[in-house]
């Protein structure tokens, strides 16, 4: 796991030590605290790398790395099947001088070219300069576990693992401004959707995509090398005993591959079924019992340590616990710096602390991320089924229920509180099934955004609606069963643009690599092709996982209500008088985005919301 950056600029000098490349690379030092590499070639090609050493801890893994045929690569991530690929390529005459998966990636490129992506099992984002074709090749893993941002304006292209690195280049920083559609995304769902970024002059290479930049013409061509929709629309396989056996074979192998490291490996353990299952498999197949890490809060509804202790004792692992008080100004400021873009998932804060604690003991941690999206674990999937009944109730009755809920139910800051779920559900009356699925995650409605955003911004946005991103993904799997279509949409949006962003930024902030066995693409492909009863049946969720873990985890863990991983936020800003609250103060200090963006929102409306929050009325 590392940080990568670089650019192709024919007008640039050839000294990588002096100029934008050095600044860009050093801005990513947190992603790779174990080493730095800078390289420049003919034609203004510059590549930078910060290394987090996981495999071949000596010089064999140093980057930028040059292959036998002269290609040069900077690589962020892990190729989990590198041993298998190394054996195959060695049989074809390739010589290897290290254990590094980066060297295997180079050899794979030189043997297969662009089609090497189809053979990689891993999480990755990399840039490779091919001097023979004079092209820069960019690529990102199938599900988007590792980030890759870029700027392209004709003859000039730059890329980096994080936006902050790109803004170390004067040419890019000078054109920085807010992308209003991304701002609208953030206000609607709490994160930026698709290949946009919050910055108008930056984009993100989509998951499962490769791209080539032709240094001679300045053209950029991108393509998709893996299509998840194919597996959603494939004929359904039956859910039976053989399916359960194959699922466990896939999960066991996914964990086995992710234990490959020349540094200590641990587990994240919340006490939920996903992280518990990964920890149980790790404890069973690992040569050394791993250490598990969990985080807790004084607010009992958010504290899951008791469940983590039950699992740790049951599977025989040591548990490291950390209690967090998530209301410190410095924490919020540091987290915002690492995130780079607006991000409203409160679980980012406990994840930030959990990764900090784990990084004191290990350099790699296995986690349960992705299981909810692949195996239908979220309450929203139950809401979809209930809504299929609710939407056929008489409209006056729907309106009466919604009005009563808004009058009677006071807001609660308890985790996954009933008032929030019920009010959101009842307010979804009159929506299509697809729009309702989107509505369950909406933060600000379109009507509320019209109160929040200035007239000029609303005019510039026109008829843009973030739901169109979801609607387009629903269309890509038209004809599939509705549950599977929802899983596909959530993988493309919530997982790619929220969960995996959170995992990457909060782990890389502390130089920690997080690996997610449930996101092994072989497991994802296979599970999405199963009949829906393997994922959800009569309200029971993650059926195949729970059935397979019946003899491996306590019943109290398997039968737990889904709670998610969040942080208590009620205490932030709660002081007297409200106007001097911590959050309001932070807001006033950091609200100005740029002189050109002072008119983005109506400040008075925002400050009224903050004051209501501080008083406990919102």
């Amino acid at each position: 796991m590392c940080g990568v950056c670089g650019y192709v600029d024919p007008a640039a000098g050839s000294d990588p030590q002096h100029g934008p490349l050095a600044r860009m690379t050093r801005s990513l030092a947190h992603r790779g605290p174990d080493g730095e590499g800078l390289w420049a070639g003919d034609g203004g090609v510059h590549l930078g790398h910060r290394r987090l050493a996981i495999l071949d801890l000596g010089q064999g893994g140093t980057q930028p790395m040059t292959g036998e045929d002269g290609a040069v690569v900077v690589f962020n991530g892990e190729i989990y099947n590198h041993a298998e690929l190394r054996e195959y390529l060695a049989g074809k005459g390739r010589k290897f001088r290290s254990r590094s998966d980066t060297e295997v990636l180079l050899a794979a490129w030189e043997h297969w070219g662009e089609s090497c992506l189809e053979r990689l099992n891993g999480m990755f984002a990399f840039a490779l300069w091919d001097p023979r074709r004079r092209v820069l090749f960019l690529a990102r893993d199938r599900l988007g576990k590792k980030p890759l941002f870029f700027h392209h304006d004709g003859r000039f292209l730059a890329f980096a693992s994080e936006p902050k690195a790109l803004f170390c280049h004067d040419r890019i920083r000078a054109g920085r401004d807010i992308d209003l559609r991304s701002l609208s995304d953030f206000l609607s769902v709490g994160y930026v959707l698709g290949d946009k970024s919050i910055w108008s002059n930056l984009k993100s290479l989509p998951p499962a995509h490769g791209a080539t930049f032709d240094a001679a013409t300045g053209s950029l061509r991108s393509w998709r090398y893996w299509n998840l929709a194919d597996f959603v629309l494939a004929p359904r396989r039956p859910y039976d005993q053989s399916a359960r056996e194959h699922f466990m074979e896939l999960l066991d192998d996914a964990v086995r591959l992710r234990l490959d490291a020349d540094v200590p490996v641990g587990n994240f353990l919340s006490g939920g079924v996903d992280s518990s299952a990964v920890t149980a498999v790790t404890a069973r197949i690992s040569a050394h019992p791993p250490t598990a890490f969990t985080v807790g809060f004084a607010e009992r509804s958010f504290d899951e340590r008791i469940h983590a202790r039950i699992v740790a004792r049951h599977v025989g692992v040591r548990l490291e616990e950390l209690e967090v008080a998530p209301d410190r100004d410095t924490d919020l400021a540091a987290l915002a710096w690492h995130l780079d873009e607006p991000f409203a998932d409160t679980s980012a804060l406990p994840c930030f602390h959990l990764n900090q604690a784990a990084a004191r003991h290990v350099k790699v941690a296995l986690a349960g991320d992705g299981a909810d999206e692949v195996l239908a674990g979220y309450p929203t999937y139950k809401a979809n089924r209930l809504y299929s009944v609710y939407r056929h109730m008489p409209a006056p009755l729907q309106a009466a229920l919604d009005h009563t809920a808004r009058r009677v139910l006071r807001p609660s800051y308890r985790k996954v509180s009933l008032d929030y779920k019920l009010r959101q559900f009842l307010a979804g009356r009159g929506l299509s099934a697809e729009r309702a699925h989107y509505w369950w995650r909406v933060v600000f409605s379109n009507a509320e955004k019209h109160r929040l955003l200035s007239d000029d911004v609303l005019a510039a946005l026109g008829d843009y609606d973030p739901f169109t991103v979801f609607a387009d993904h629903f269309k890509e799997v038209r004809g599939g069963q509705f549950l599977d279509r929802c899983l596909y949409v959530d993988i493309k949006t919530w997982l790619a643009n929220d969960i995996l962003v959170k995992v990457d930024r909060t782990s890389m902030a502390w130089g920690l690599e997080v690996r997610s066995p449930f996101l092994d693409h072989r497991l994802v492909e296979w599970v999405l092709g199963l009949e829906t009863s393997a994922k959800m049946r009569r309200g029971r969720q993650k059926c195949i996982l729970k059935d397979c873990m019946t003899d491996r985890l306590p019943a109290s863990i398997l039968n737990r209500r889904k709670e998610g991983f969040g942080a208590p936020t009620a205490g932030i800003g709660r002081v007297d008088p409200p106007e001097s609250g911590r959050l309001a103060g932070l807001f006033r200090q950091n609200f100005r985005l740029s002189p050109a963006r002072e008119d983005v929102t109506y400040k008075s409306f925002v400050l009224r919301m903050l004051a209501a929050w501080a008083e406990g009325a919102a």
Side-chain angles (χ1 to χ4, degrees):
M1 201 64 60
C2 307
V4 299
C5 61
Y7 54 90
V8 181
D9 182 4
S14 58
D15 182 3
Q17 299 292 337
H18 299 90
L21 184 66
R23 297 193 299 271
M24 293 169 68
T25 305
R26 284 159 197 163
S27 74
L28 299 172
H30 53 283
R31 297 184 71 94
D34 298 329
E36 180 180 275
L38 307 173
W39 179 89
D42 294 338
V45 183
H46 293 71
L47 302 177
H49 185 263
R50 289 292 312 197
R51 185 186 183 196
L52 178 64
I54 302 296
L55 288 171
D56 197 336
L57 307 184
Q59 294 302 307
T62 300
Q63 299 183 45
M65 184 180 289
T66 303
E68 290 183 3
D69 297 342
V72 185
V73 71
V74 285
F75 166 60
N76 170 29
E78 297 290 340
I79 307 301
Y80 298 126
N81 63 334
H82 69 94
E84 174 189 338
L85 294 174
R86 183 194 309 274
E87 182 179 0
Y88 176 87
L89 293 167
K92 297 296 183 181
R94 289 281 166 174
K95 305 295 184 184
F96 292 92
R97 59 183 184 272
S98 74
R99 286 193 64 249
S100 169
D101 56 342
T102 307
E103 188 180 9
V104 174
L105 174 61
L106 268 171
W109 163 266
E110 292 173 340
H111 185 77
W112 288 299
E114 295 173 357
S115 66
C116 71
L117 296 174
E118 301 163 13
R119 294 167 169 84
L120 303 179
N121 181 352
M123 55 176 179
F124 54 83
F126 65 87
L128 184 149
W129 171 248
D130 187 332
R132 296 170 301 177
R133 295 170 53 194
R134 299 195 64 74
V135 299
L136 184 71
F137 178 58
L138 306 175
R140 198 164 170 219
D141 66 69
R142 290 171 176 83
L143 292 162
K145 287 169 274 189
K146 291 292 101 186
L148 194 62
F149 294 89
F150 68 91
H151 168 90
H152 177 230
D153 60 4
R155 301 283 294 176
F156 174 70
L157 179 132
F159 67 90
S161 297
E162 298 177 3
K164 64 174 64 67
L166 287 163
F167 290 128
C168 290
H169 197 297
D170 294 341
R171 183 168 176 173
I172 301 172
R173 185 171 60 252
R176 180 174 57 182
D177 200 355
I178 298 299
D179 180 80
L180 294 180
R181 289 193 170 195
S182 297
L183 176 63
S184 182
D185 291 348
F186 168 69
L187 293 174
S188 289
V189 293
Y191 53 91
V192 176
L193 289 163
D195 63 351
K196 303 188 297 296
S197 87
I198 194 63
W199 310 107
S200 59
N201 60 346
L202 302 186
K203 295 189 74 175
S204 172
L205 185 68
H209 274 65
T212 52
F213 174 75
D214 188 319
T217 65
S219 63
L220 181 67
R221 175 181 68 92
S222 65
W223 69 95
R224 182 170 57 190
Y225 64 87
W226 181 76
N227 189 0
L228 183 62
D230 294 341
F231 305 97
V232 176
L233 297 174
R236 301 293 85 182
R237 289 186 297 273
Y239 178 46
D240 52 22
Q241 181 58 31
S242 64
R244 288 187 282 273
E245 291 172 356
H246 189 57
F247 175 83
M248 280 311 304
E249 290 172 0
L250 288 171
L251 182 57
D252 285 353
D253 195 54
V255 172
R256 178 187 62 81
L257 289 176
R258 285 158 181 77
L259 290 174
D260 181 22
D262 295 332
V263 294
V265 179
N267 280 76
F268 286 158
L269 179 59
S270 68
V273 66
D274 308 331
S275 63
S276 298
V278 172
T279 302
V281 173
T282 303
R284 180 168 52 84
I285 68 176
S286 178
H288 306 286
T291 298
F293 302 89
T294 192
V295 64
F297 304 93
E299 165 58 60
R300 290 185 60 187
S301 70
F302 287 82
D303 194 24
E304 298 183 305
R305 284 175 292 180
I306 186 172
H307 306 293
R309 292 168 194 153
I310 291 171
V311 175
R313 286 195 299 268
H314 188 85
V315 303
V317 299
R318 186 167 67 89
L319 184 65
E320 290 281 343
E321 300 182 25
L322 171 71
E323 182 172 309
V324 174
D327 61 349
R328 289 171 284 181
D329 297 354
T330 54
D331 293 345
L332 293 172
L335 180 58
W337 186 85
H338 282 288
L339 287 170
D340 272 330
E341 299 185 278
F343 194 74
D345 188 337
T346 61
S347 67
L349 191 54
C351 283
F352 190 62
H353 289 289
L354 177 61
N355 282 280
Q356 179 186 25
R360 300 189 185 108
H361 303 271
V362 298
K363 294 186 76 171
V364 176
L366 272 59
D369 300 300
D372 285 318
E373 292 81 5
V374 176
L375 295 167
Y378 290 122
T380 52
Y381 305 123
K382 286 185 178 181
N384 289 338
R385 294 200 174 181
L386 290 172
Y387 187 74
S388 66
V389 176
Y390 174 68
R391 66 188 297 226
H392 291 102
M393 294 172 61
L397 179 57
Q398 292 181 8
L401 289 172
D402 183 26
H403 178 72
T404 301
R406 290 181 177 277
R407 288 191 61 188
V408 172
L409 294 176
R410 293 283 296 173
S412 166
Y413 287 94
R414 289 181 60 82
K415 187 176 183 180
V416 198
S417 62
L418 174 64
D419 70 280
Y420 170 78
K421 291 190 293 184
L422 186 57
R423 291 199 299 175
Q424 192 78 351
F425 179 85
L426 294 174
R429 66 185 189 276
L431 303 177
S432 67
E434 290 85 358
R435 185 116 197 175
H437 182 73
Y438 162 79
W439 172 251
W440 309 145
R441 295 195 186 278
V442 165
V443 181
F444 286 104
S445 68
N446 287 339
E448 289 168 331
K449 286 197 294 186
H450 274 74
R451 295 176 61 199
L452 178 64
L453 297 173
S454 69
D455 292 340
D456 289 343
V457 171
L458 290 171
L461 283 170
D463 61 356
Y464 175 71
D465 182 354
F467 172 68
T468 58
V469 177
F470 291 73
D472 288 343
H473 289 314
F474 271 116
K475 291 175 185 176
E476 291 163 3
V477 285
R478 184 188 288 117
Q481 296 190 38
F482 188 65
L483 175 61
D484 291 327
R485 295 176 70 206
C486 290
L487 296 177
Y488 175 82
V489 170
D490 287 350
I491 289 170
K492 289 285 190 174
T493 56
W494 173 252
L495 178 69
N497 301 138
D498 182 296
I499 300 298
L500 295 179
V501 170
K502 173 187 68 179
V503 171
D504 175 80
R505 304 307 191 276
T506 60
S507 61
M508 287 289 91
W510 307 106
L512 180 73
E513 175 170 306
V514 175
R515 300 175 175 180
S516 305
F518 284 112
L519 292 179
D520 188 298
H521 74 273
R522 301 168 301 166
L523 187 148
V524 173
E525 294 169 358
W526 191 80
V527 169
L528 288 182
L530 283 173
E531 61 186 34
T532 56
S533 62
K535 291 153 267 188
M536 185 171 174
R537 182 174 53 195
R538 299 190 187 95
R540 183 172 182 253
Q541 297 175 276
K542 301 180 186 173
C543 296
I544 190 170
L545 177 60
K546 292 177 180 178
D547 289 345
C548 289
M549 301 305 296
T550 298
D551 297 329
R552 307 184 189 197
L553 289 174
S556 62
I557 299 300
L558 294 175
N559 297 326
R560 277 188 68 200
R561 177 174 62 92
K562 172 67 180 175
E563 295 182 353
F565 188 44
T569 57
I572 303 177
R574 291 290 184 86
V575 295
D576 187 28
E579 292 77 12
S580 64
R582 299 161 75 88
L583 194 62
L586 284 172
F587 173 81
R588 289 192 181 90
Q589 179 181 346
N590 296 288
F591 184 73
R592 284 190 291 275
L593 303 170
S594 74
R597 290 272 73 91
E598 276 290 287
D599 61 345
V600 167
T601 65
Y602 289 117
K603 284 188 180 182
S604 59
F605 177 66
V606 176
L607 289 172
R608 283 200 304 273
M609 288 192 298
L610 286 171
W613 184 15
E615 293 169 343

